[in-house]
Amino acid sequence: MIRPKLSPRRPVVVAAAALAGLATAFAASSPALATSPSPQPSASPATSAPTATPPASESSTTPAPEGPTCVSAADARYTHKFRGKLGEASITLVNGPLCEGEEQAFALVSYVAPSAKVEFPQYVLSKSVDKFTSVAKDEVGTRSTLKFKVEVPTCYTQVDFVFGDEIIDPLTDSGPRYGDRKVGSPKGIGSQSKGPQAWYNGGGETCEAAPEVVVESDCAGKVTFSLINRDGNAPANFVIATDKGFSKAVTVPLRSIEKVELDAAAVDGQITVTANEKSVWTGTPKAPAECQEPEVGEPETSYESTCDELVLLVQNPKNGVSLTSTFTPSTGKPQTVTIEPGTNKSVRFPAAKGLTVVVTGDLESAEPIKWTAPLNGCDEGGTGGGEEGGLPVTGAAAGGIAAGAVALLAAGAVLFVVARRRRIRFTS
């Protein structure tokens, strides 16, 4: 049998096909080869071989980039809750924390208002302020929620929850407003927080002040007005005015006291203090009593001896004080008398050899007062004694006069000035 001769090209084609199939199967089973570019075929398929691929565990991978770890205040976003009628609010930072150096403040504030609608002026009753801050390198975490609580008046009110810590007081028709600073506003900075509108108007009665005034003056003529609004639920608008044209207006918030000090020139004349256009005090301030120079008159005393009696005389001036003393003779009954200011009193005892009288009480004698016979004798009707000895003033009245004298000497020029400026304390 004659076999045909095999062509030398057929085995080469078969071998090349087999190698191509093995390379395709190996590439399909290897992820690294699957993602790598396809190798360019060589000029001679018979001598080409698959490229060696490292094991999967030895292949290098690039880590995915990390997202931002903090936000600026401008990019911060919040959610909030608000219960204005109760004076409560809270806000949560949802994409924080804030980056280093960043912060965002918030304020909850309640006002007393003229009506349940938006009317002015409105005055602050209570406020609560807090803020989010960045996390320092040595800190762990930060607060994600802030809570606020304020007092809400029982009368007409407005409550606002706002971005920032700047409080407007009072709110007026022509003054600044919170506007888009209000949390939950549809635009502006307030829109950075999602939730209900964070402002409230309500209440059920008119707010009223409860003004009081206390007036005090000193020895130099300065007057201090204590303007008090302790128990009201609205501010009190005080005006201090004199009949010489001076006027000063002061607004005192509820539960507050404001002091106004004026010198003597400013408060000269009649003064009227009004609160919310109603008079609360009228008068003329005067210096305290202790600032005035003592003007107590000193009594004058004398005595005389006649042939019939020993007479002791007391003259009490109009600016004196009431005096009560006892005159005790060496023989006979003692006499107790009272000498009122502006009156004279004489105390008489029958003449007798060796008679003496001792005076005690508000008036005291330095030594017993002796009756002496007249120098020319009694037959000639002469008199004796005279004003020998006198009656020194001691006891309560004398002590007061002496104390006043000592005070005058010690104070010197100060009391001289005070005496010229006669003012006393006056309070309502």
Side-chain angles (χ1 to χ4, degrees):
M1 178 194 283
I2 298 174
R3 297 177 182 244
K5 238 183 200 183
L6 295 177
S7 171
R9 296 181 58 186
R10 185 176 183 184
V12 174
V13 173
V14 173
L19 287 174
L22 289 173
T24 301
F26 188 80
S29 64
S30 173
L33 292 176
T35 58
S36 61
S38 301
Q40 296 296 327
S42 61
S44 175
T47 59
S48 64
T51 304
T53 303
S57 60
E58 296 179 5
S59 62
S60 59
T61 58
T62 302
E66 297 182 2
T69 58
C70 64
V71 295
S72 66
D75 294 328
R77 294 296 179 265
Y78 309 88
T79 60
H80 65 271
K81 297 179 180 178
F82 178 77
R83 294 193 290 179
K85 193 173 184 179
L86 300 179
E88 297 176 350
S90 65
I91 192 162
T92 300
L93 176 60
V94 297
N95 65 336
L98 298 180
C99 294
E100 184 174 357
E102 298 282 323
E103 65 179 29
Q104 179 61 64
F106 294 87
L108 180 66
V109 56
S110 63
Y111 291 86
V112 290
S115 76
K117 299 179 180 179
V118 181
E119 291 189 18
F120 303 96
Q122 300 178 6
Y123 297 89
V124 170
L125 169 65
S126 179
K127 61 184 177 182
S128 176
V129 179
D130 204 347
K131 63 183 178 181
F132 291 107
T133 58
S134 60
V135 180
K137 294 180 180 179
D138 57 348
E139 291 181 348
V140 177
T142 186
R143 290 185 300 167
S144 61
T145 299
L146 302 179
K147 295 183 179 181
F148 302 83
K149 176 69 177 176
V150 295
E151 179 184 358
V152 178
T154 57
C155 57
Y156 296 131
T157 184
Q158 176 169 310
V159 181
D160 292 323
F161 188 31
V162 299
F163 277 78
D165 54 8
E166 180 184 352
I167 304 299
I168 303 174
D169 185 26
L171 283 169
T172 62
D173 284 318
S174 58
R177 306 287 178 81
Y178 291 117
D180 293 338
R181 286 178 55 195
K182 293 182 179 180
V183 174
S185 295
K187 60 181 180 178
I189 189 173
S191 64
Q192 290 182 223
S193 185
K194 301 302 179 183
Q197 71 172 35
W199 53 93
Y200 165 79
N201 295 89
E205 61 180 356
T206 302
C207 306
E208 295 182 353
E212 304 173 49
V213 180
V214 175
V215 183
E216 297 177 287
S217 57
D218 62 13
C219 297
K222 183 177 70 176
V223 181
T224 300
F225 294 85
S226 295
L227 309 178
I228 305 169
N229 188 19
R230 184 182 297 111
D231 301 322
N233 57 9
N237 299 309
F238 288 89
V239 176
I240 303 171
T242 71
D243 55 4
K244 300 296 179 64
F246 174 85
S247 180
K248 183 177 180 64
V250 180
T251 296
V252 181
L254 60 163
R255 302 177 189 171
S256 299
I257 298 176
E258 298 286 343
K259 290 185 179 292
V260 177
E261 293 184 351
L262 303 176
D263 59 22
V267 297
D268 185 34
Q270 184 87 352
I271 299 177
T272 300
V273 181
T274 60
N276 296 345
E277 301 182 351
K278 295 181 180 179
S279 177
V280 291
W281 187 88
T282 300
T284 303
K286 298 180 180 180
E290 59 265 24
C291 297
Q292 301 183 33
E293 180 183 0
E295 296 181 355
V296 178
E298 184 177 356
E300 297 181 5
T301 62
S302 64
Y303 73 93
E304 64 177 348
S305 295
T306 69
C307 291
D308 299 321
E309 58 187 357
L310 173 64
V311 182
L312 296 94
L313 302 174
V314 180
Q315 296 178 341
N316 196 3
K318 291 182 179 181
N319 62 340
V321 296
S322 179
L323 303 171
T324 300
S325 290
T326 299
F327 298 75
T328 305
S330 56
T331 58
K333 296 182 178 180
Q335 299 181 47
T336 299
V337 297
T338 297
I339 308 99
E340 297 295 342
T343 62
N344 301 329
K345 184 76 71 174
S346 62
V347 183
R348 301 172 182 272
F349 295 96
K353 187 177 181 180
L355 172 66
T356 60
V357 176
V358 176
V359 183
T360 57
D362 291 334
L363 299 174
E364 290 187 357
S365 56
E367 58 185 15
I369 300 170
K370 298 178 182 181
W371 175 84
T372 57
L375 295 178
N376 296 328
C378 289
D379 292 340
E380 299 180 6
T383 62
E387 297 182 0
E388 298 178 4
L391 300 178
V393 180
T394 62
I401 297 170
V406 171
L408 288 173
L409 290 174
V414 175
L415 282 181
F416 175 77
V417 174
V418 170
R420 294 175 62 86
R421 302 170 69 94
R422 301 188 179 280
R423 301 193 180 277
I424 64 173
R425 177 181 303 170
F426 188 93
T427 58
S428 61

